[in-house]
Amino acid sequence: MRKRSTVLLLAGLLTLSGCGKIEKASESTVTVDKKGIVTEILIEDFSSEEYQEDELKKSIEELVSTYNEQAGEEEVTLKKMQVKDGNASVLMQYSTDDAYRAFNQVDFFAG
């Protein structure tokens, strides 16, 4: 349960901003392209030794897999995850703003 809380906390601490390449963002960012695909990068402090990188990645993969199974198609994708210099960086992609909204359980408007 604690791992799920950590993942949801990461998802909940978003700053909506961005232009340029999202992979180079220095803070959590969400973008929407012309086709409606939502890309999100989560950047959070990961200096605590309480969690391990492989545990975080496994937790995210399980959440994504469970969501996609319930949705009946691949709506959410974990594109990249790494821990570097005490920060966790998670790059996610959502097929639509509806998928982003449902996966993260947040209000979100792209229009």
Side-chain angles (χ1 to χ4, degrees), residues 52-63:
Q52 299 296 318
E53 180 177 358
D54 57 334
E55 290 176 357
L56 177 61
K57 185 173 184 179
K58 184 178 178 184
S59 293
I60 295 169
E61 288 172 339
E62 288 174 3
L63 287 171

Side-chain angles (χ1 to χ4, degrees), residues 5-15 28 40 42 44 100 104-106:
S5 296
T6 300
V7 173
L8 291 176
L9 176 65
L10 284 172
L13 298 173
L14 297 176
T15 302
S28 295
E40 167 187 50
L42 299 163
E44 294 295 330
Y100 176 86
N104 291 292
Q105 300 175 357
V106 296

Side-chain angles (χ1 to χ4, degrees), residues 8-71:
L8 291 176
L9 176 65
L10 284 172
L13 298 173
L14 297 176
T15 302
L16 298 177
S17 64
C19 50
K21 291 228 173 235
I22 193 168
E23 294 88 358
K24 295 183 180 185
S26 60
E27 59 186 27
S28 295
T29 305
V30 176
T31 62
V32 182
D33 72 9
K34 292 178 183 180
K35 295 180 182 179
I37 296 172
V38 178
T39 304
E40 167 187 50
I41 188 160
L42 299 163
I43 301 173
E44 294 295 330
D45 177 40
F46 202 74
S47 58
S48 170
E49 294 183 19
E50 188 173 331
Y51 301 103
Q52 299 296 318
E53 180 177 358
D54 57 334
E55 290 176 357
L56 177 61
K57 185 173 184 179
K58 184 178 178 184
S59 293
I60 295 169
E61 288 172 339
E62 288 174 3
L63 287 171
V64 168
S65 177
T66 299
Y67 176 85
N68 286 333
E69 285 175 17
Q70 291 173 351

